[in-house]
Amino acid sequence: MALRNTSSRLLSLGREPQFTCLRCQWTARRKASTYNSEIDVSEDVVPDSSLLTPQPDQDVVTSWDPIQRSRNRRRQLPPSRYKFRPPRYYRGPLHPHQPPPASSPNSRLFIPGPFSLPRLQQTYSSTLAPDLLSLLYIHHPPGTLPGPAGQRLRSWDNSSPYHKNRPLRGPRGRPTLALLKRPITFRNIPRLEKIVVHHVIRSGDHRDSSYLHVAGMILQAVTNVRATVCKARHSIANFKMTKDKTAMAVKAELRGEDMYCFLSKVVDVVMPRIKEYKGVSGGSGDGSGNLAFGLQPTAVGMFPEVEVNYDMYPPRMIPSLDVKVCTTATNDRDARVLLSSMGIPFHGKHVN
């Protein structure tokens, strides 16, 4: 109604109504640098805005030389004004000079990369992750909630008068409660977290250090990670073991690119060459999404890094490897689905 009154009033004065277009205002703001006085500006624009500021002369633009201006200073600024040099030593969180994060190219700890992703990681991101979301997703319509969780602790059967007022018992077969199952969404799709590969020296071989050296060399060649030595936790005189001195095992913890490369070698190279290999046992999980399997010395010798230099290692000293795959899944079922999609076979009864 107000718009009609305004139009009729303008027509009575002999002028045509002019309406301001909001899109034109937005375009004028976007093209403020190309404004000239011939273009009409909306009345809503403040007269002192940058749209009406004239451009500098061409002589001023060509004569601007910041390098010569800095050289003409009587007192030059310190070199740190132009170039940042991170401190060599870390002096605590309260020191005024803090080193940049390791992800910054200026950091002394910066490591460039990764320049390429492993094939298995690319396959997981492009194919496996969407498929796992489709397989494991449980839809709850809006306004509904999943059913109540059952009792996790065991109660007493009251067969004895001493059972009264006792606290509930723990779960059967384990000292701690299992992880709660979270609903699978696009935020928590199961993925690999880390892989731990280790070899335990037999009780009679820990006296000879050559077994430990060969196991460490093979473990480092296969995993591309430097192996760490694990010492004995207790002293046993019959086995001549001394606490924190006798080396008992070697292990390597794989993450990121090394983890995917190692698992792809196991799935694509080693497992297909094992004769009458049934697969990983279906009950090899720990109930929290972590699965484990072992490789015999004959299977360890099938790795490309060991096979190309097989004569360098004594056959009787080639170790067997225990592989533990840790995932972000909260139960063994989701972890088996993840590893099955990556090519690891399972046999036997699947225990959840």
Side-chain angles (χ1 to χ4, degrees):
M1 189 67 181
L3 185 60
R4 291 180 180 178
N5 295 336
T6 305
S7 302
S8 61
R9 189 178 303 173
L10 291 174
L11 290 174
S12 63
L13 296 176
R15 290 182 296 178
E16 296 181 358
Q18 296 180 0
F19 301 101
T20 304
C21 179
L22 297 179
R23 185 175 182 85
C24 298
Q25 296 179 17
W26 176 77
T27 308
R29 294 191 188 98
R30 288 287 305 271
K31 301 181 179 180
S33 60
T34 60
Y35 167 76
N36 51 26
S37 58
E38 298 179 358
I39 303 177
D40 294 334
V41 183
S42 173
E43 297 178 358
D44 298 334
V45 179
V46 182
D48 298 335
S49 65
S50 60
L51 296 178
L52 301 176
T53 304
Q55 294 184 354
D57 298 337
Q58 190 64 23
D59 298 338
V60 177
V61 176
T62 55
S63 62
W64 173 254
D65 190 1
I67 299 177
Q68 187 63 29
R69 183 184 179 189
S70 63
R71 292 176 181 175
N72 294 338
R73 285 195 180 99
R74 295 182 181 180
R75 184 177 179 182
Q76 295 293 329
L77 296 176
S80 59
R81 173 66 173 79
Y82 303 100
K83 182 179 180 181
F84 174 74
R85 303 181 67 181
R88 180 173 299 180
Y89 304 104
Y90 179 65
R91 296 180 174 87
L94 301 180
H95 197 270
H97 299 285
Q98 292 291 326
S103 58
S104 174
N106 294 330
S107 174
R108 298 177 183 269
L109 304 177
F110 176 73
I111 299 177
F115 301 103
S116 62
L117 295 177
R119 185 177 63 85
L120 183 59
Q121 186 176 1
Q122 293 180 358
T123 305
Y124 172 81
S125 302
S126 62
T127 306
L128 300 183
D131 293 348
L132 290 175
L133 180 60
S134 302
L135 291 172
L136 304 177
Y137 178 74
I138 300 178
H139 177 66
H140 297 285
T144 62
L145 296 175
Q151 181 66 36
R152 305 187 68 196
L153 297 176
R154 295 184 298 158
S155 59
W156 299 90
D157 55 0
N158 296 327
S159 60
S160 172
Y162 295 100
H163 291 172
K164 189 176 182 180
N165 297 330
R166 273 192 176 185
L168 298 178
R169 292 182 291 179
R172 188 183 302 275
R174 59 169 60 194
T176 58
L177 288 172
L179 297 177
L180 290 173
K181 179 177 175 55
R182 299 176 299 175
I184 301 298
T185 62
F186 67 94
R187 294 186 179 91
N188 58 351
I189 301 176
R191 56 179 176 81
L192 295 180
E193 185 176 8
K194 66 177 181 179
I195 294 179
V196 181
V197 186
H198 73 279
H199 169 71
V200 180
I201 307 298
R202 291 178 295 183
S203 59
D205 297 339
H206 67 268
R207 304 174 189 175
D208 189 0
S209 61
S210 58
Y211 286 90
L212 186 69
H213 293 164
V214 173
M217 292 168 59
I218 291 181
L219 193 61
Q220 182 173 344
V222 168
T223 61
N224 196 30
V225 176
R226 188 174 183 85
T228 57
V229 180
C230 302
K231 303 297 182 66
R233 296 183 180 180
H234 306 281
S235 298
I236 303 178
N238 295 337
F239 296 101
K240 297 183 179 180
M241 294 169 48
T242 306
K243 180 180 179 181
D244 297 334
K245 290 186 178 180
T246 305
M248 298 300 301
V250 289
K251 71 172 184 177
E253 186 174 314
L254 314 180
R255 295 179 183 271
E257 184 177 355
D258 295 330
M259 172 183 63
Y260 286 100
C261 291
F262 174 79
L263 188 60
S264 62
K265 283 188 294 186
V266 172
V267 173
D268 300 336
V269 179
V270 178
M271 286 186 176
R273 299 177 61 183
I274 300 177
K275 292 183 178 181
E276 300 180 359
Y277 184 67
K278 298 180 180 179
V280 180
S281 174
S284 61
D286 60 350
S288 301
N290 304 322
L291 303 177
F293 58 92
L295 297 176
Q296 296 296 329
T298 55
V300 175
M302 298 177 184
F303 279 92
E305 296 84 0
V306 179
E307 193 173 17
V308 70
N309 295 322
Y310 192 82
D311 296 338
M312 188 175 64
Y313 310 105
R316 63 184 182 87
M317 291 187 178
I318 295 180
S320 59
L321 298 181
D322 298 323
V323 183
K324 182 179 180 181
V325 183
C326 301
T327 66
T328 58
T330 56
N331 52 63
D332 294 344
R333 173 179 170 270
D334 296 348
R336 277 195 301 268
V337 173
L338 172 63
L339 296 183
S340 297
S341 63
M342 293 185 177
I344 295 181
F346 290 90
H347 79 282
K349 183 180 179 179
H350 292 182
V351 180
N352 295 321

